[in-house]
Amino acid sequence: MNADDFIEKFAFAIEVEAATLALDTRFKDLPNWDSLNTLAVIAMADADYGASLTGSDIQNSQTVGELMQVVQGRMG
Amino acid sequence: MSIDSSAYTRPDIFADEIERLFAGRMYLCSVHELPEVDSYLAIHLGGASITVRHTTEGLRAFDNVCLHRCALIDPEGCGKRPFRCRYHAWSYAADGALHAAPLVEVDDLARRALQTYPLTVVGEHVFIGLSGQAPAVDKMAYAMSEAGIPLTNPEPFHRGELLQQCNWKLLVENNIESYHLSFVHAQSFIPAGFVSKSDYAWEHDAYTCWSHCEPTEATSKTARLQRLSRQSRHEFGHIFVFPNLFLTATNQMVGFRSYVLPLTPDRTLFKWELFELPALLALPTPVREQIRAESIRFTEASLQEDKPMVEACQLGLSSRHAFIQLRAPDARIQRFHDYYAEQMRHAEK
């Protein structure tokens, strides 16, 4: 997994432009962030990386980079 | 006309309601609560103690009072145990006949069978006819199809109950109107996109009514939900089956079944279950788990928001000058009141 690939998939899941995100973006501060985004990111991690995330994983992660590390750790 | 305010507080009217309304048709439980032979559900309602049992011959309902010394045969609540009184071990057969009574000659007894009651099962929903007539529930399947809820569903993933200090009718009324959403549900319906001004439509037939509530086009999240599941829509479907069953479908993902059991004129047990609808069952496990967790949080928040309001109504209705004025947003409550009055009058003839 590389960072650009993860950011692109993350951005697609939450329907923002990938160029607006970086590893240090605090994603829950994004103006369109809501509970549906949590579901979309869980679905993305499952479909694209085979990684099972929980709502708590997302709640406990502050930045895109932190979440990427969690996904990396869950990949089979 | 609306129901008179005294109907929410008077013990004699409460007793009449149990005899006249709940005796004709009452939702008791889902088949999931009686999964195997010897599972039972025992309740006390008005002057009746009833146990519904999964027998070797299927689901059967009986008086839950032993023919010997009138002890309750099954303790109140759900469980699994032989059909046998706990006091002197008198035991009963699948049809309610006394099977054995230790140290006693059964043939000498004047009464040798428990009173039985007819049940009607619609999908997984079990209704009882305490009047002795099979409860009519033929309208229910149509209402369920209108709300997008299958007749049979998986085992619920969560159950809860809430004791409410109010009359059962207040819980019905609160369940069948969306007028209060913007003023009460800051932690549940409002953030979920459902408010008092949402598009709301409802229909009814003889003893069921059903509604659809959808956010306005500007706030609808249907397009985003459909990225997760094509079967999903941002909507809230609701069914009421008179007198005590409610079913809802949230976003075509999560089903919610709830029902009221009247205990006294001002105390009602509200029981509820959450189950997965087909659109949710088709999603990956981590997404299902998150939606299940979120729906539990939503439901508990919503019920806690409603509780002080219905209990405040009960106190208000107990006051000397209580007077109910239903207006246009309360049309579904008006329908409930009309049907209630019709049934109470009908029973007097």
Side-chain angles (χ1 to χ4, degrees):
Chain A
M1 178 198 291
N2 69 51
D4 288 345
D5 179 64
F6 183 79
I7 287 172
E8 190 172 319
K9 288 182 166 61
F10 186 95
F12 182 77
I14 68 168
E15 299 184 81
V16 300
E17 291 295 326
T20 64
L21 299 179
L23 287 179
D24 62 356
T25 300
R26 299 175 75 85
F27 57 88
K28 283 174 285 183
D29 294 341
L30 294 170
N32 70 335
W33 185 264
D34 64 10
S35 61
L36 260 182
N37 289 132
T38 297
L39 292 173
V41 169
I42 291 172
M44 176 275 290
D46 180 79
D48 294 330
Y49 298 106
S52 288
L53 290 186
T54 66
S56 298
D57 292 329
I58 294 173
Q59 190 59 37
N60 295 335
S61 300
Q62 302 304 315
T63 65
V64 174
E66 285 177 28
L67 191 62
M68 188 178 88
Q69 286 183 351
V70 175
V71 173
Q72 270 179 323
R74 301 278 169 83
M75 289 170 67
Chain B
M1 287 290 288
S2 59
I3 297 174
D4 188 83
S5 57
S6 65
Y8 296 78
T9 56
R10 280 174 44 185
D12 58 325
I13 293 179
F14 178 79
D16 274 355
E17 291 171 344
I18 301 301
E19 285 287 317
R20 298 174 177 190
L21 305 181
F22 284 83
R25 172 183 47 250
M26 182 175 78
Y27 175 78
L28 259 188
C29 62
S30 77
V31 296
H32 301 292
E33 290 175 84
L34 301 164
E36 53 194 333
V37 170
D38 281 339
S39 303
Y40 74 90
L41 169 73
I43 65 162
H44 190 86
L45 181 82
S49 283
I50 306 141
T51 184
V52 183
R53 300 190 61 91
H54 188 148
T55 74
T56 51
E57 296 171 8
L59 300 184
R60 298 285 185 274
F62 310 96
D63 257 341
N64 188 28
V65 179
C66 185
L67 296 173
H68 177 214
R69 296 269 302 281
C70 299
L72 293 184
I73 301 167
D74 289 324
E76 283 193 43
C78 279
K80 182 186 175 193
R81 60 184 301 280
F83 198 8
R84 187 171 62 218
C85 181
R86 296 163 293 161
Y87 201 178
H88 301 93
W90 286 31
S91 64
Y92 297 89
D95 62 357
L98 184 61
H99 173 68
L103 312 179
V104 168
E105 186 56 57
V106 169
D107 290 343
D108 291 344
L109 295 168
R111 292 185 62 195
R112 283 175 285 178
L114 297 170
Q115 169 80 43
T116 61
Y117 300 97
L119 298 174
T120 304
V121 181
V122 182
E124 61 205 359
H125 304 92
V126 182
F127 293 84
I128 189 168
L130 293 172
S131 66
Q133 301 289 316
V137 281
D138 54 310
K139 308 289 187 191
M140 187 173 161
Y142 179 75
M144 290 184 73
S145 69
E146 284 293 298
I149 303 174
L151 280 176
T152 56
N153 294 281
E155 168 81 17
F157 59 82
H158 190 83
R159 290 191 170 98
E161 63 180 51
L162 198 56
L163 181 63
Q164 310 257 28
Q165 305 294 335
C166 70
N167 185 270
W168 67 276
K169 297 188 290 298
L170 286 170
L171 291 175
V172 171
E173 292 161 9
N174 186 68
N175 259 279
I176 60 177
E177 58 101 338
S178 63
Y179 187 11
H180 70 287
L181 296 183
S182 292
F183 315 107
V184 174
H185 290 296
Q187 304 300 319
S188 54
F189 283 95
I190 295 172
F194 301 105
V195 295
S196 303
K197 284 186 172 177
S198 294
D199 292 336
Y200 185 81
W202 69 281
E203 295 180 63
H204 69 86
D205 57 25
Y207 52 82
T208 64
C209 61
W210 58 95
S211 65
H212 274 97
C213 185
E214 289 186 37
T216 58
E217 198 171 330
T219 56
S220 174
K221 294 178 180 175
T222 290
R224 293 176 64 201
L225 280 167
Q226 290 187 343
R227 291 184 74 202
L228 284 172
S229 165
R230 295 301 301 170
Q231 300 173 66
S232 183
R233 290 185 55 78
H234 192 185
E235 65 179 14
F236 188 77
H238 186 278
I239 301 169
F240 170 50
V241 182
F242 189 93
N244 71 327
L245 172 66
F246 314 96
L247 289 160
T248 72
T250 303
N251 303 335
Q252 291 297 321
M253 295 265 202
V254 178
F256 172 67
R257 175 172 34 243
S258 59
Y259 55 104
V260 296
L261 289 175
L263 303 177
T264 66
D266 58 1
R267 287 172 69 242
T268 306
L269 187 61
F270 185 83
K271 300 183 76 170
W272 56 279
E273 302 174 322
L274 292 165
F275 54 91
E276 293 179 283
L277 294 174
L280 181 53
L281 285 166
L283 292 177
T285 300
V287 180
R288 286 171 59 193
E289 286 175 352
Q290 177 62 16
I291 291 177
R292 291 198 299 250
E294 176 59 22
S295 66
I296 294 168
R297 188 212 63 77
F298 173 95
T299 306
E300 288 176 341
S302 166
L303 294 176
Q304 288 300 329
E305 288 169 331
D306 280 329
K307 184 174 163 63
M309 296 299 103
V310 292
E311 293 182 346
C313 281
Q314 184 66 36
L315 291 174
L317 284 161
S318 309
S319 74
R320 191 179 310 156
H321 303 298
F323 181 71
I324 299 166
Q325 299 189 84
L326 298 178
R327 309 308 298 160
D330 305 311
R332 209 170 160 206
I333 296 178
Q334 184 64 62
R335 165 66 193 160
F336 166 62
H337 282 201
D338 291 346
Y339 186 72
Y340 170 96
E342 182 186 312
Q343 293 301 301
M344 292 292 273
R345 275 199 301 271
H346 174 73
E348 285 170 359
K349 288 175 185 171

